[in-house]
Amino acid sequence: MNNSDHAVSRRNFLSATAAIAGSVMLNPFSAVAAAADKKMRIAIVGTSGRALGMWSKSIKEKYGERVEYVGLCDINPGRLEYFKKKTGFKCPTFTDFEQMMKKVKPDTLMVMTVDNTHHEFIIKGMEMGANIITEKPMTTDEKKCQAILDTEKKTGKKVTVTFNYRYSPHRAKLYELVHSGEIGDLTSVDFHWYLDTRHGSDYFRRWHRLKEKGGTLWVHKATHHFDLLNWWIESDPEEVYATGALEFYGKNNPFRHTNCRPCPHKDKCDFYFDITKRQQLVELYVDHEKHDGYLRDGCVWKEDIDIYDKMAATIKYKNGVDVSYSLTTYSPYEGYRIAFNGTKGRIDCWVEESNPIVEKDYEEIVLTRNFGGREIIKVPHAEGGHGGGDKLLTDAIFLGVKSDPMHQAAGVRDGALSILVGIAARNSCETGKPVKIGDLTSIKPQAKREFVKLS
Ligand SMILES: NC(=O)c1ccc[n+]([C@@H]2O[C@H](COP(=O)([O-])OP(=O)(O)OC[C@H]3O[C@@H](n4cnc5c(N)ncnc54)[C@H](O)[C@@H]3O)[C@@H](O)[C@H]2O)c1
């Protein structure tokens, strides 16, 4: 390893991450953010886990000068009241969305509901005068996606998709290295993601287990991964060929029950989950089952599970880059392996997010030059969720940024292209044929990705 090179790349990295963390003022999510002298008047639809954990109390505490919560809506009245109590918000609550929009007239609507309902609120929200901040995935199929694109155009409102994964320092460093010229021209990417038996199985307990609700993990989960690829590669995906199967969860077990609490098989089931030991989950879900019948500790062996638990895809990008991707949902540890192959070298990393061989407070990236040395670059973990990405994302949304050197801001086009890869993969699994992204909606893939414009 060349020490001076290493020192230079560490310096570059530190200056680049400082630029992301420290810059304020102009907002890349400009239309979403209120003018600097005005508070954003925010309403939330979907007052549950994600809204509580990420988009409510902590946002008010950190960005109180910039935000005001004016309305809360959920179809589960019990959860809605619990959310209000837990956040301490004083604003009115509604079980009817349109009533909320008419009454409180928010300028920003946060959409945090079940995935297959996002489009309803994104579309009505824009039609009723609000800019949108939506959780991923923006929506679950190509028709709903087109309807969102059309409404954004028609209303002049803006949709921001909260792609927190782009903001982790480690992934930002990968972006910087890929675009530094160190490995020459990027030609292909190997990207393999592993969900462990705890996290992976959780998707098979909840509404996510049904294709109708979450669009399969090709969309619900892999939207994060495809967004990272679209961002790192800086080009649009053009064609996807994929395969997938349900070989582990669902029908692949001799016994099953509705959910874990009353289960007669709990002593012999490796996936028995005692929700009564998780106070927050009891207060959020169990206490309100009487309103909607939703079982948060559902059986992972239920026969209605119709999503894939193992998935693999080949994705061709418009700039010629080829990607080999896979997602496994029952691994002994959680994490990913990624390699970027270029004409002058290769970048590798292996990230273990659970059960690591060695506990460490940094991630390593290995840069190997053809006919040259190997360099190990250590990227320190940042504090907070998603490797520090959550804080950088919320700073960008609520404080704004002066510049966006790594093009991390994500608009409706990015939201669309990340789900379209998953939708294409799902369609490909069903038909056995490759699917062209350009055939799904009016978005036509471009060799150079369109960046969100700063104002
Ligand atoms: N970016 C991330 O890392 C991340 C992490 C977790 C969840 N999410 C996303 O956040 C969203 C919410 O996830 P969650 O884990 O909080 O799910 P959840 O099941 O806990 O909450 C969904 C809420 O939406 C409500 N809801 C469902 N349909 C509704 C409707 N028609 N009208 C009003 N309310 C309705 C439900 O009653 C529930 O309170 C999902 O889209 C998910 O993909 C993102």
Side-chain angles (χ1 to χ4, degrees), residues 45-51 73-76 79 112-115 117-118 120-121 135-137 162 164-165 206-207 220 224 285 292 294 386:
V45 59
T47 55
S48 188
R50 188 65 180 155
C73 173
D74 200 289
I75 37 168
N76 186 314
R79 190 145 50 239
M112 312 275 140
T113 53
V114 172
D115 301 352
T117 65
H118 286 181
E120 275 175 55
F121 305 115
E135 260 302 348
K136 50 55 52 175
T162 57
N164 43 1
Y165 279 31
R206 300 178 285 162
W207 49 262
H220 175 82
H224 276 308
Y285 303 100
D292 58 12
Y294 177 55
H386 293 101

